[in-house]
Amino acid sequence: MGSQFSLSLELTKLVPFGSLFNTAGHGLVRLLREIQASGSDFITEQDLAEVFGRNRLEPRFASTFRTAVKHSVIHQISHIAELVLEGGAGPTVKRSLSEEGYFAMVVQLSLLIYTHELSSLTGAMAISFERRTKDSAEYVAPPRYDALKGTLRAIREQTCGFMWELTISAVEKKVYPSIAWTDGSLYKVRTIPQVILQALLDAFTAIQHLPEHTRLQISSANGLPTIVVWAHHILGLSVKVHINGESHVFGNELVTVYVDGDYGGSPKVALLNETDDPFFQLIKKREDPVLAPVRRHPIRDYGTRLYRFRDEDRKTERGLVHLIVATCTAVASFPDEASHFLSVQRVLSVSKLLFSSNEDVIDGIDLCSTFLCVEKRPETGWLSAEFQDHDDDLWHLFRGYKKLAVELMHIIFVLCRAQGVEDDISLYIDVLPESQYIRTSSDPDLHRILIEVPSPELAFSSLSSLLLGPAPRPDLEELSVVSAWGWSLCLSSVSCQDPSDCTTGFAFVRGVPARNGERKHYIIDGAWSLMKEALSHDTAKYSHFQISHGPGDQCILSSWTRLKDRRYFIGVKDDAFEVANVLSYDDPAVDAKDKGVAGDGSSVTCGFRSMQHVSWAARHVPPCQHPASPGQSSLVLPENVFVFRGVGRPRLDTFQPDAVLAGLVAGDSSARWILTAMMVHNWRASLMSKWGAAPRAELVVCLRSRGCCFECAVRYAQSCNRGAPVGLVL
């Protein structure tokens, strides 16, 4: 019996691979830079292609895969022209489309990355490459861990458009027709043991080129679906699987790969010749690394999959879907919660996406008009949903599935805030969500469900965790864009010029943050971009406050500032871009007084996350049907309504508690950002004891949308009074 490395050398002679330097001169240097900037590694790609590139792809599958991954897209997500999201084919995939060996490598690794957790797959492959060469006369260095991990992640991102789940699920339905995967172990059986992965690096090549003289015998309960897809669907080999006392054949009668899924011992594999003598055979060792599974599912029918990991009772499933969606629509109907992001229509749309297998159940819900009543608990702010007529069946159903029901309600609410979730079925999220963002509470009244509608910050953190899964991550409080698996979750402040445009909160976009070809996986606020601290400590710079119009005065919607271009800084920190925007304004009155000398303008340096926080903290005044452009809308100010110039902090105790203080900054987005931030961070903190001592006194900040007229904005602000003056950003 020879070694695996000896076989590998013979296969290399039989199936030679092209030279590293097919591309010469400046073209090679450019390609090296592009691949490195994308996070991959040129030499590692060559090492991998020399192994995986020897295999021949099944023509029809290769054509389908090529069609799915060949396109690339660039999304301009920000006013910063050089900061984009790059999606689809990147340098590695584009190169593979014209080089057959590299394309074979990309296809096979894309499958392995889909079914195995990235770090564990990287470690297992590094060990497999090292063990293949241990019997060689010359030491051949295996790929470096960091370079290998970066290459695998780049391939994962650039091939995320191919739906591996469809192919793998079809194999699983044939092989495991009667098994209920109620504990999530479905994903574990997809992972190939390391010893088998090592053998397959050479075994499939031998079988393809010597089909009449070789056959492969695999004995393992794990890895079966992935092995079948790899051998049969990708490489066109015929596979015979023995599992649960039955045999299943994939392909024609010339079977060359045999898999014993009923084998209960340590995984083992042997490549045999026509007389059943082994070319080599391997068996699992105690020190072998264990590959971890990837537990992800498409966003479509995600809720159904989550339920079926806990139970397989389809009757209960339909009842639970009814209960969850009915409760969420009841919450969306509650006056305090109804908004642009949480409406009955939005809840139903997201629910049909999450429970697409039970869409008929959702269509039958009567919007809870007679099913539940909802009220707000003043001591906690949570909502209490009560089963009318004390429906014991529904209550017992909820009690039996309380944790799952609350998780799914939470996911519905957070997805209601996100745009783009219905646009592409290739969006996958973690199927075992972290419960740290999902809070529950009990109620002494046995027929009530206590529900917390997640805040925007909580919703963004929850969706970030669902997108990233269990992977390590930076501080979520600094993030404005988070990327995984070729998708990004972006705060709306990244793409919005004006604070009133940030109403949606965030969106899923296919692509990875990139700048001049360099790809990272996060965008964070730079350490120098602390809006709150800047406004709080530089008091002299932001002290100007002057009432320009009072009750009875005619005031035209305009701005006392002069518009200035926004500037920005971009840095790099580990796997993130650090971004800071410089928001500036000028006061033309000061310019005139100083005879052309630079004005009394001010600037604030801030990141996208701090800008989003400011937008979230304000109440957005909805658009109206009246003319709303600066210069077109005017108003005779009613009682206790004042218009002011400047961004300073007023003496709030000198105004009546029902006053409205409106900043005249219409049309200047930078000044609107700065004034909104000043009101959110400084005005609220400066409430004097006259107002702050009141038990429920609250300074509300209202932000006029650019489609709202002067009068409607003032009326809305007056309706928001909570016992203290209201700040209104015009």
Side-chain angles (χ1 to χ4, degrees), residues 38-359:
S38 71
S40 187
D41 181 79
F42 189 89
I43 301 298
T44 301
E45 288 187 7
Q46 174 75 11
D47 291 341
L48 294 171
E50 287 179 351
V51 174
F52 292 93
R54 301 171 301 178
N55 297 336
R56 296 190 301 261
L57 302 182
E58 198 282 323
R60 287 177 298 179
F61 188 90
S63 176
T64 301
F65 189 91
R66 185 185 300 271
T67 301
V69 305
K70 67 181 180 181
H71 298 291
S72 58
V73 62
I74 296 179
H75 297 281
Q76 186 67 54
I77 58 168
S78 172
H79 63 282
I80 304 175
E82 61 197 85
L83 197 61
V84 299
L85 292 183
E86 292 184 352
T92 300
V93 168
K94 289 178 180 178
R95 178 192 188 191
S96 75
L97 295 176
S98 59
E99 299 187 35
E100 184 178 346
Y102 282 92
F103 185 66
M105 172 201 72
V106 166
V107 174
Q108 294 168 82
L109 290 178
S110 178
L111 169 67
L112 296 178
I113 300 164
Y114 180 79
T115 54
H116 300 85
E117 188 272 328
L118 179 61
S119 295
S120 67
L121 176 63
T122 304
M125 288 190 64
I127 290 175
S128 297
F129 271 82
E130 185 171 2
R131 288 180 177 176
R132 286 172 69 244
T133 64
K134 68 177 182 179
D135 296 328
S136 63
E138 282 184 24
Y139 176 73
V140 180
R144 294 182 298 107
Y145 179 89
D146 290 342
L148 180 57
K149 185 175 182 179
T151 299
L152 293 176
R153 179 150 74 170
I155 293 174
R156 184 177 72 181
E157 291 168 355
Q158 295 176 36
T159 62
C160 67
F162 186 80
M163 299 288 288
W164 284 111
E165 186 67 28
L166 300 177
T167 308
I168 296 173
S169 296
V171 172
E172 290 168 343
K173 288 179 181 178
K174 182 175 180 179
V175 175
Y176 309 114
S178 59
I179 297 180
W181 304 102
T182 57
D183 59 353
S185 58
L186 166 66
Y187 297 103
K188 185 177 180 181
V189 302
R190 296 178 176 182
T191 58
I192 301 176
Q194 185 274 329
V195 65
I196 295 176
L197 176 63
Q198 177 183 333
L200 297 184
L201 296 180
D202 296 300
F204 284 153
T205 307
I207 292 172
Q208 276 197 326
H209 293 87
L210 301 168
E212 298 178 356
H213 303 286
T214 55
R215 68 182 182 89
L216 184 64
Q217 180 67 51
I218 299 172
S219 301
S220 174
N222 280 352
L224 193 154
T226 306
I227 292 171
V228 171
V229 173
W230 188 357
H232 175 63
H233 292 272
I234 296 178
L235 302 181
L237 301 175
S238 293
V239 182
K240 186 174 183 178
V241 175
H242 187 76
I243 184 76
N244 297 327
E246 298 181 356
S247 294
H248 307 274
V249 176
F250 296 84
N252 56 39
E253 295 181 355
L254 182 59
V255 175
T256 52
V257 180
Y258 296 83
V259 183
D260 182 4
D262 287 334
Y263 180 72
S266 296
K268 62 182 181 179
V269 57
L271 182 65
L272 308 173
N273 62 18
E274 61 268 30
T275 61
D276 285 345
D277 293 324
F279 287 107
F280 70 85
Q281 59 184 8
L282 302 173
I283 188 168
K284 182 182 183 301
K285 300 177 182 179
R286 180 177 299 178
E287 63 270 22
D288 286 353
V290 177
L291 279 84
V294 168
R295 298 182 173 93
R296 301 180 81 82
H297 191 269
I299 193 75
R300 186 172 300 280
D301 218 24
Y302 172 87
T304 304
R305 170 60 66 92
L306 209 58
Y307 166 80
R308 292 178 184 175
F309 280 161
R310 321 292 173 89
D311 203 329
E312 276 292 303
D313 187 335
R314 297 302 168 86
K315 182 178 179 181
T316 301
E317 175 186 315
R318 293 172 66 84
L320 190 64
V321 170
H322 189 147
L323 170 64
I324 291 169
V325 179
T327 304
C328 290
T329 53
V331 170
S333 302
F334 190 69
D336 280 4
E337 302 302 328
S339 70
H340 58 276
F341 77 90
L342 188 58
S343 63
V344 170
Q345 291 73 21
R346 183 64 179 153
V347 165
L348 291 176
S349 175
V350 170
S351 299
K352 289 180 179 180
L353 181 70
L354 292 178
F355 301 105
S356 59
S357 296
N358 294 280
E359 190 168 333

Side-chain angles (χ1 to χ4, degrees), residues 413-648:
F413 289 141
V414 300
L415 285 176
C416 283
R417 284 190 176 272
Q419 291 183 322
V421 293
E422 302 100 335
D423 296 342
D424 194 326
I425 61 174
S426 67
L427 172 59
Y428 285 69
I429 56 177
D430 189 44
V431 298
L432 298 175
E434 297 182 5
S435 58
Q436 63 186 18
Y437 300 114
I438 304 173
R439 296 184 288 181
T440 61
S441 183
S442 58
D443 193 317
D445 185 343
L446 286 184
H447 283 77
R448 290 178 178 269
I449 305 173
L450 291 184
I451 303 162
E452 179 191 32
V453 178
S455 66
E457 292 89 345
L458 182 61
F460 185 74
S461 296
S462 292
L463 286 182
S464 297
S465 293
L466 288 171
L467 181 62
L468 291 170
R473 69 205 62 170
D475 186 356
L476 291 177
E477 293 184 358
E478 298 179 352
L479 294 174
S480 54
V481 176
V482 53
S483 178
W485 290 76
W487 280 84
S488 292
L489 179 65
C490 307
L491 291 177
S492 56
S493 58
V494 176
S495 59
C496 295
Q497 286 282 81
D498 190 85
S500 64
D501 297 333
C502 298
T503 54
T504 54
F506 30 81
F508 282 106
V509 183
R510 188 171 169 186
V512 181
R515 181 194 184 204
N516 300 327
E518 181 179 12
R519 294 190 176 193
K520 300 293 181 182
H521 294 90
Y522 308 98
I523 296 178
I524 62 175
D525 287 5
W528 62 88
S529 56
L530 303 176
M531 177 182 281
K532 181 178 180 179
E533 285 74 5
L535 295 175
S536 299
H537 293 97
D538 202 349
T539 54
K541 193 175 182 180
Y542 306 104
S543 60
H544 178 51
F545 179 90
Q546 177 185 357
I547 297 294
S548 59
H549 299 79
D553 293 340
Q554 178 87 18
C555 185
I556 299 175
L557 189 65
S558 59
S559 178
W560 58 271
T561 65
R562 183 175 61 196
L563 191 64
K564 293 183 68 176
D565 291 335
R566 187 185 298 184
R567 296 179 291 120
Y568 59 88
F569 300 102
I570 302 178
V572 176
K573 181 180 180 182
D574 298 327
D575 197 22
F577 292 117
E578 284 188 312
V579 179
N581 292 276
V582 181
L583 308 175
S584 306
Y585 68 88
D586 271 342
D587 187 345
V590 175
D591 280 353
K593 180 182 67 176
D594 292 344
K595 297 181 181 180
V597 178
D600 188 29
S602 295
S603 63
V604 174
T605 304
C606 54
F608 292 127
R609 184 59 182 262
S610 58
M611 293 167 69
Q612 186 70 60
H613 174 76
V614 165
S615 179
W616 278 336
R619 296 201 179 192
H620 290 251
V621 182
C624 66
Q625 302 299 318
H626 310 121
S629 300
Q632 293 183 347
S633 180
S634 64
L635 176 67
V636 176
L637 301 183
E639 185 178 359
N640 278 333
V641 175
F642 302 86
V643 171
F644 65 89
R645 295 164 53 95
V647 295

